Amino acid sequence: MAKGEKLSLFEFLFCQHQSFLFQFHLIYHTTDQLFILRTLIEQSKAKKKPLYCCFVDLKKAFDIVPREVLWQVLAGLGVKGRFLRCLQAMYAKDTIRINHPSEGVTSSFRCQQGVKQGCPPSPLLFGLYLDALEGCLDDRKCNASTLADVQIWLLLFANDLVLTSESEVGL
């Protein structure tokens, strides 16, 4: 890269963290995750072993991202200085209004968590946050189900995740 050339957030992270981007965004699709889950279920039935699953629907997932944690995740990935401050400035005075079915639209109020709906970098920011969350959960895996000698303890797709274990305690 030539001196003074600017990179987008995606380009920066692609150069720095190709494995994450390929693993999470480009290779695994919902159908792959569903195939894996179905295979785990069939395998556990055939072996007469229990399979415990916890399905988590992150319905309003973009709204729940703790921003301070997101900034730490980005800093840990090498997003620092001006670039990080620019992202933080985008969220510094974020206000929202809620359209309530019976009470109408609320007054504006400060929003101090989540990534912005419809903002171009938001899906990438959310994916990086989710990857860090996966890393934290990875440290806790217990009695993970195995498929072809690979431990499968977490499946991620869209805004849902499934935790799997061969024991209640492990889940």
Side-chain angles (χ1 to χ4, degrees), residues 21 24 35 45 68 70 80 96 109 129 134 168:
L21 292 167
F24 188 72
F35 174 77
K45 282 181 179 180
E68 288 306 315
L70 178 60
K80 297 179 181 174
I96 59 171
F109 60 94
Y129 169 76
E134 179 185 355
E168 237 179 294

Side-chain angles (χ1 to χ4, degrees), residues 6 14 23 54 70 77-78 94 98 125 128 135 137 154 164-165:
K6 294 187 170 71
F14 184 79
Q23 179 184 3
C54 176
L70 178 60
L77 293 171
D94 199 12
I98 297 174
L125 293 172
L128 293 169
L137 291 172
L154 174 68
T164 70
S165 178

